[in-house]
Structures are given as structure tokens and as C-alpha cells.
Amino acid sequence: MHDLTFAKEIVRALNIKQNSIPNGSRITSINAALSPLSHVKPETLTETFRVMTKGTELDKIGLNIKVLKIELTCRTCKHAFQIDKPTTRCVKCNDSDLDMAYSKEFVIESINVADNQSQQKTS
Ligand SMILES: [Zn+2]
């Protein structure tokens, strides 16, 4: 179950961040990205994260998850293209000699922190 692995990774990143920010500051949200190759939907990951952090401080943190596109380059005709779903053929020449530029399944991009002095904007 990849969603569980990714949710644990989010919790771990949040705990590390929590320990590095000054007292009075708090984490408001986290931005992460999923590859379509991970076969995990953002909704599923959010759900898993909520269940995992229910009743803890982390429960209040916003989770922004986007789905990345897969970037492929055809080694035969050099055509570069983006896809949402895994494919084994070049969309131009139908060759199967493809180079995948993005292979990470899950990335934590940034963690947003608010300090208690400044006004917290709600978005
Ligand atoms: Zn091609």
C-alpha cells in the first residue's frame, strides 16, 4: 500500500520540520506531488493521512497534493511529450524506446510555516 508509505513520509517530514522551527511557529500546510506511476490518488493519500494523524497536532495541517505528469522523450525520433498515464509507445513514431525524465513516485515540495507574530492568511 503506497498511500500508507507516502502518508508516513509526510508525517516524518512534518515532525522533522516541527523540530526545526522556532517556538510559537506552527506548520500550516504541506505541498506534495505524486507521480501517476505511483497508482495513488491524492484523495486516497489525504484520507490515509487524516486517519493516521487524527487527534494529533498534525491533523490540522493542510495537505496539498498535485499529480505530476510523466515526461517522456523518444530515443528514436527525439519527440518529447507529457502523459498522465503510463505508456510504452512514442505518441509520434510508435517506437518503444522511451526515456522517462520523471521517475520519482512521491515528492514533498515544501512545508508552509506561520509564526505567531504575523497574521495568518486563510486561503
Ligand atoms: Zn518517437
Side-chain angles (χ1 to χ4, degrees), residues 16-23 25-27 113:
I16 292 168
K17 187 75 180 177
Q18 197 97 58
N19 291 332
S20 70
I21 57 176
N23 277 337
S25 299
R26 60 188 181 87
I27 298 170
V113 177

Side-chain angles (χ1 to χ4, degrees), residues 71-82:
E71 286 174 31
L72 296 171
T73 308
C74 174
R75 289 196 186 98
T76 307
C77 74
K78 306 292 174 209
H79 179 62
F81 55 103
Q82 289 193 329

